[in-house]
Every structure is written in structure tokens, then in C-alpha cells.
Amino acid sequence: FLERQLAKTGNSRLLPREGGWYAIIEISDAVPDEQRVLQLLEADNTLVHPGYFYDFSGEGFVVVSLLAPVETFQTGISRLIARFGR
């Protein structure tokens, strides 16, 4: 689901991973990570983590949990893409 949804955007991609309980999405735009996560939380009731929580030194990364129930995960990803995907 995540890969298919991100493929529909021109500015977002899933970073490669070998496993784990979260996914890292790179979003190419001018929105600072902190502003992005606060907008999602306040306007869309969607929680993601900024990349700097995981030692990314640059902007443009959000970390999403893969442990959420399927419907919750899909809704959150849809909200993220609706707000920041192009």
C-alpha cells in the first residue's frame, strides 16, 4: 500500500530498508520537518515522527510506524500524501 501510494506522487519516496517496524519517507519540498509533523498532527490528527528523531541531519524525512492497524495506517498515509504529496 505504502509503495503504491508514494508512487502516485512526484515528490515522495520510500527509503530502502532491510526490516524493522517503521518506514522512512523522503519528501522533496520546502516544508521543514517540524512544521510538517505539527501540521499533520494538528490539522489531520495524524502522528508521524520527524527525521531528526532518527538522526537524519537534513530536512525532508518522516518516519511512520508499521505497527498501526491496517485501516489506521492507510488513513494516515492518505492524509500525509493529501497534504504534502505532489
Side-chain angles (χ1 to χ4, degrees), residues 5-57:
Q5 297 307 307
L6 292 177
K8 295 176 185 177
T9 73
N11 70 328
S12 304
R13 72 181 184 103
L14 184 62
L15 292 182
R17 70 234 172 261
E18 294 181 16
W21 301 5
Y22 56 85
I24 302 166
I25 301 169
E26 181 178 17
I27 303 172
S28 299
D29 62 14
V31 180
D33 290 352
E34 187 160 338
Q35 180 181 341
R36 183 185 328 277
V37 299
L38 289 174
Q39 280 182 339
L40 281 167
L41 184 59
E42 293 169 354
D44 300 310
N45 197 33
T46 300
L47 177 64
V48 299
H49 294 177
Y52 64 81
F53 278 14
Y54 295 83
D55 294 327
F56 283 88
S57 59

